[in-house]
Amino acid sequence: ELQRGANGKVISDRGETGWSWAAIQGALLSVQEMGVFVTYCGGDSDLEAAVERLGRRKRSETMDILPPRPPAIVSPQAAFLAALPGIGTERVSAILQWAGGNLAHALWGLTDTEVDGPVPIGARRRIRRFMGLKANEELTVMVKGENHE
């Protein structure tokens, strides 16, 4: 049995584990959101009964399982941006909206540390390091045939 200790750590029958209670609960929720069902046993004396309960469950070849949240299909541009450090799927829509749906403009905004970009400056610095951009380098969008100095 896992219990929450006063310091936020998990306590098992062997004592404090050093695991964060919040992390364990978050992991359990994530697994359940993926469709994996979690059941509990009421201690050592309930183990046999818990296994029997699981064994008596009706089983069929198919079972309708609705997702806990409706899926969202993301564009290839959104998937590309979500892979950058500190972006993820939570920020992608706002970034693409800021960039007018243009991936090149989004990348410029995510690597320019001097303009008010779509994400905090710390995240933009991490993206610059990830992309290998030096301090004196920048990404730009250039129009062919125009004079550039």
Side-chain angles (χ1 to χ4, degrees):
E1 181 178 348
L2 301 180
Q3 297 178 358
R4 183 179 195 270
N7 62 354
K9 299 295 181 186
V10 174
I11 299 173
S12 74
D13 57 345
R14 295 187 180 117
E16 188 177 297
T17 63
W19 303 331
S20 162
W21 177 260
I24 295 297
Q25 295 306 308
L28 282 171
L29 285 172
S30 294
V31 167
Q32 291 178 45
E33 285 176 335
M34 289 186 278
V36 177
F37 298 101
V38 177
T39 186
Y40 295 92
C41 176
D44 291 344
S45 62
D46 186 43
L47 179 61
E48 181 180 352
V51 171
E52 287 176 354
R53 283 191 302 272
L54 289 170
R56 283 192 304 266
R57 289 182 47 81
K58 185 174 120 182
R59 288 171 176 63
S60 62
E61 287 192 28
T62 62
M63 174 188 258
D64 294 332
I65 301 174
L66 298 175
R69 292 185 230 161
I73 298 174
V74 297
S75 68
Q77 294 88 349
F80 179 88
L81 291 174
L84 293 172
I87 301 303
T89 55
E90 301 81 18
R91 289 184 166 164
V92 166
S93 294
I95 292 167
L96 284 172
Q97 185 176 2
W98 178 88
N102 186 309
L103 181 60
H105 286 118
L107 285 171
W108 168 78
L110 291 171
T111 58
D112 193 311
T113 57
E114 296 180 14
V115 298
D116 186 24
V119 297
I121 188 74
R124 288 185 271 157
R125 287 182 181 134
R126 285 190 300 277
I127 292 168
R128 287 184 60 80
R129 281 193 301 271
F130 173 77
M131 294 179 75
L133 289 173
K134 296 177 183 150
N136 63 341
E137 295 176 333
E138 65 181 29
L139 292 181
T140 59
V141 178
M142 299 175 68
V143 180
K144 264 186 167 181
E146 288 187 4
N147 252 346
H148 302 285
E149 296 181 29

